[in-house]
Amino acid sequence: MAKNAGSKRKRDSAAEKLGRKPYDAELKRLHTELVKLQQWVVAKGLKVCIVFEGRDGAGKGGTIKAITERVSPRVFRVVALPAPTEREKTQMYAQRYLTHLPAAGEVVIFDRSWYNRAGVERVMGFCSDEQARKFLTVVPMFERMMVESGIILIKYWLEVSAQEQTRRLQDRINDGRKLWKLSPMDVKSYTRWDDYTRARDDMFAASDSSWAPWYMARSEDKRKARLNIISHLLQQIPYKDLSHEHQVALPKRGKIGKYKAQPYPFKMVAERF
């Protein structure tokens, strides 16, 4: 009976997954809206900063890719900083993040952010408990400074179950295309689920402010999570459709053939397909 119940739960879970066709249709619609938002951000000189945090394997990278794949990388910039250098370790903690904050007409997306100090650095022992405590004390003021300077700050936490995290990390191990996503730190962090939960809860308690609230997205179904987050993001920044101001028409092309191309011996790419 228990086995049958487990099989039924798996079937129900699979049935609830969003299919590719409806996902693609809705994502196409949302991409159009993101382009409108991009035009509005540029036209109005808005400064938008989006922070993505969450469990390992929760789908941060895929969500960011879904947001950015149809907009300009000159407007939507993704910041995914590596481990700090020896010099950066001696700087004020937030210093290396400040240079990446948006200027007018930019949307900056942080794939992990200054909240590393409240998460991986704290859990894995890269900072002391005292340093983590001081960070949590200061970060609301830091973010208030950002908001009062005109930055629209939006913070997302992606949450996934322990079982789904295991499945996704194992999938990375088994799929050569995804192996690069699995860092040594992911493997070390895997055994510390409860420690990360405690760190997350302390982070929320300290930094979920009225001027920079946290938004949590459940990401058991990656497709649903991406659509939910993009829909929510579009609601956070009131914008108007400026496409009528950017109507494009191709001019008449001049006569072709006045210049004869030279018979240069190009090294051609083999046409194998």
Side-chain angles (χ1 to χ4, degrees):
M1 179 65 72
K3 184 177 180 180
N4 290 338
S7 299
K8 183 178 185 301
R9 281 195 297 270
K10 287 184 179 180
R11 289 196 301 270
D12 291 343
S13 177
E16 292 172 1
K17 295 285 186 180
L18 183 63
R20 169 62 69 176
K21 191 170 182 179
Y23 168 74
D24 286 343
E26 181 61 13
L27 186 60
K28 181 178 180 180
R29 186 189 71 80
L30 292 174
H31 279 159
T32 301
E33 294 304 311
L34 283 170
V35 171
K36 295 176 184 177
L37 173 62
Q38 172 180 264
Q39 292 176 329
W40 184 259
V41 166
V42 173
K44 300 301 178 181
L46 300 184
K47 298 179 288 185
V48 182
C49 181
I50 307 170
V51 168
F52 277 96
E53 296 286 345
R55 302 276 190 182
D56 293 333
K60 296 180 292 296
T63 301
I64 292 170
K65 182 178 179 181
I67 292 171
T68 58
E69 63 183 343
R70 295 293 181 175
V71 291
S72 170
R74 290 183 292 276
V75 178
F76 280 72
R77 288 195 293 111
V78 178
V79 177
L81 298 183
T85 64
E86 291 303 314
R87 179 176 182 275
E88 287 172 333
K89 289 177 183 178
T90 69
Q91 295 176 342
M92 179 180 72
Y93 176 69
Q95 190 170 338
R96 73 184 191 130
Y97 296 100
L98 291 173
T99 58
H100 297 282
L101 293 179
E106 292 181 344
V107 178
V108 173
I109 301 175
F110 280 92
D111 184 353
R112 295 200 182 276
S113 65
W114 45 92
Y115 282 102
N116 276 341
R117 174 132 296 182
V120 64
E121 290 190 14
R122 176 184 180 183
V123 173
M124 302 306 295
F126 296 131
C127 72
S128 66
D129 287 340
E130 178 67 9
Q131 287 175 314
R133 186 190 64 78
K134 286 183 177 179
F135 168 80
L136 291 175
T137 301
V138 170
V139 71
M141 293 180 281
F142 171 64
E143 292 178 347
R144 185 158 200 160
M145 177 185 69
M146 292 171 57
V147 171
E148 290 183 352
S149 75
I151 292 175
I152 299 171
L153 177 59
I154 306 168
K155 302 185 301 190
Y156 289 111
W157 175 275
L158 274 65
E159 185 64 26
V160 69
S161 68
Q163 294 78 10
E164 180 63 13
Q165 183 192 59
T166 297
R167 189 195 67 77
R168 292 179 186 178
L169 295 180
Q170 191 63 52
D171 185 48
R172 292 180 182 180
I173 294 172
N174 297 334
D175 189 337
R177 299 169 298 173
K178 300 178 181 179
L179 194 57
W180 65 272
K181 293 183 177 182
L182 192 67
S183 70
M185 190 55 58
D186 292 336
V187 177
K188 291 181 181 178
S189 298
Y190 178 71
T191 61
R192 304 193 180 184
W193 178 271
D194 283 350
D195 292 335
Y196 274 102
T197 301
R198 185 179 297 109
R200 179 204 65 190
D201 291 348
D202 289 347
M203 182 188 76
F204 281 179
S207 61
D208 184 25
S209 61
S210 60
W211 54 89
W214 277 104
Y215 298 103
M216 179 181 282
R218 299 191 183 281
S219 63
E220 291 295 288
D221 184 329
K222 289 183 179 180
R223 292 172 184 168
K224 288 182 180 179
R226 292 167 190 168
L227 299 181
N228 288 334
I229 290 171
I230 296 174
S231 297
H232 183 272
L233 172 61
L234 290 166
Q235 294 170 356
Q236 304 313 301
I237 310 170
Y239 65 96
K240 295 181 181 179
D241 183 3
L242 301 179
S243 58
H244 62 281
E245 299 179 10
H246 298 83
Q247 294 292 337
V248 178
L250 290 177
K252 292 183 67 174
R253 196 198 292 270
K255 186 175 180 181
I256 297 175
K258 290 183 177 180
Y259 172 77
K260 298 299 182 182
Q262 299 299 309
Y264 187 82
F266 293 108
K267 297 176 180 65
M268 301 298 294
V269 174
E271 297 183 0
R272 297 180 179 180
F273 304 98

